Amino acid sequence: AIPEEKSLSNIEELGNTGSASTLLVLAQNYKRFQSGDLICISVFGGGYSSGAGLFRMIDQSTAFRRNIAILKQNQNSPLAELN
């Protein structure tokens, strides 16, 4: 079981916002996360729809460097010519 202090929920504040709840609660608590944190998300919505995901939080500079590296590898990207 996941301890309650490590669980986030915003249904009491915003009501049932469907699948947007996941992004909303992450945005509301963004400063709480640190680079390297492992974050598990799960959702359950109307019509018995559900989903789950697991990801690791990275800092913005790391994300930026990764995105630039990917763009440089794409032959159609204007960044492909940069070293």
Side-chain angles (χ1 to χ4, degrees):
I2 298 173
E4 190 171 335
E5 65 271 5
K6 291 192 173 203
S7 177
L8 301 173
S9 175
N10 60 4
I11 196 164
E12 300 86 8
E13 177 185 353
L14 301 177
N16 184 0
T17 54
S19 60
S21 298
T22 303
L23 295 177
L24 289 169
V25 78
L26 288 174
Q28 288 173 321
N29 293 277
Y30 182 77
K31 292 182 179 182
R32 185 174 170 179
F33 305 118
Q34 298 178 2
S35 182
D37 282 355
L38 194 59
I39 300 170
C40 176
I41 57 173
S42 66
V43 295
F44 182 81
Y48 298 106
S49 60
S50 63
L54 183 65
F55 62 95
R56 186 170 305 277
M57 184 64 99
I58 59 174
D59 61 78
Q60 290 181 349
S61 61
T62 301
F64 180 76
R65 286 192 306 272
R66 286 182 184 175
N67 289 339
I68 292 298
I70 290 168
L71 288 172
K72 285 182 178 180
Q73 291 174 2
N74 182 344
Q75 297 298 323
N76 298 324
S77 169
L79 298 178
E81 299 173 12
L82 298 177
N83 289 326

